């Protein structure tokens, strides 16, 4: 058993991206990294990425304002930034602690998500904010106003 644990530790050290590639929320973005995504672009499109656990997940929201601001929601086929749906804010205990993306929707409901940058590129895993983080659903995030190509 000790050899198996040592081999697993060595494999993890040699292949640090393995767990991250699986999208298991083991390496969530820090507050600083999450804030950077939103402040660099000025507006960010976040849209539901259909997957095995949520095959019908299809929505998009334009986030305007940097690290905190207004959410505009629209249907996938509509043009423009959409209707105001609520607010968002990037938070967390410190810049090096896990970042938390907080949502308050005008129609009701508040949600908090930690964000894992897996599997890669513009696809991210939204995770439960509590430790240990658990996968909730995948999203695509890209600079700019949402369009049909999110």
């Amino acid at each position: 058993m000790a050899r198996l644990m040592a081999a697993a530790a060595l494999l993890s050290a040699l292949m640090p991206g393995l767990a991250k590639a699986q999208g298991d929320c083991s390496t969530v973005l820090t507050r600083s990294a999450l804030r950077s995504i939103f402040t660099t672009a000025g507006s960010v499109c976040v849209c539901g990425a259909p997957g095995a656990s949520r095959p019908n997940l299809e929505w998009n929201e334009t986030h305007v304002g940097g690290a905190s601001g207004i959410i505009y929601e629209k249907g996938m086929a509509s043009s423009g930034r959409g209707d105001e749906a609520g607010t968002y804010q990037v938070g967390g205990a410190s810049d090096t602690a896990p970042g938390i993306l907080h949502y308050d929707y005008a129609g009701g409901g508040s949600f908090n998500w930690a964000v894992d940058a897996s599997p890669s590129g513009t696809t991210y895993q939204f995770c439960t904010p509590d430790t240990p983080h658990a996968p909730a659903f995948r999203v695509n995030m890209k600079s700019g106003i949402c369009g049909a190509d999110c």
Side-chain angles (χ1 to χ4, degrees):
M1 183 66 146
R3 283 186 176 177
L4 180 59
M5 291 175 64
L10 178 61
L11 184 60
S12 294
L14 294 174
M15 300 175 66
L18 184 60
K20 192 173 183 85
Q22 295 170 349
D24 65 0
C25 297
S26 62
T27 310
V28 298
L29 297 175
T30 63
R31 180 178 76 181
S32 178
L34 188 56
R35 184 173 284 167
S36 178
I37 290 171
F38 288 91
T39 57
T40 301
S43 64
V44 174
C45 176
V46 179
C47 57
S53 64
R54 291 189 172 190
N56 298 319
L57 185 67
E58 191 172 303
W59 50 266
N60 62 30
E61 300 173 340
T62 298
H63 297 58
V64 178
S68 64
I70 298 171
I71 305 164
Y72 295 92
E73 188 171 44
K74 65 177 190 163
M76 295 299 278
S78 56
S79 61
R81 70 179 176 191
D83 297 323
E84 189 171 326
T87 60
Y88 72 95
Q89 181 173 5
V90 175
S94 70
D95 279 346
T96 57
I100 301 296
L101 191 52
H102 176 76
Y103 289 94
D104 276 317
Y105 288 95
S110 293
F111 303 92
N112 291 307
W113 302 110
V115 181
D116 193 312
S118 58
S120 66
T122 60
T123 302
Y124 294 81
Q125 180 76 42
F126 269 30
C127 311
T128 58
D130 301 321
T131 304
H133 304 289
F137 55 93
R138 288 191 177 170
V139 299
N140 292 323
M141 291 196 296
K142 66 175 189 163
S143 298
I145 295 173
C146 293
D149 63 341
C150 189

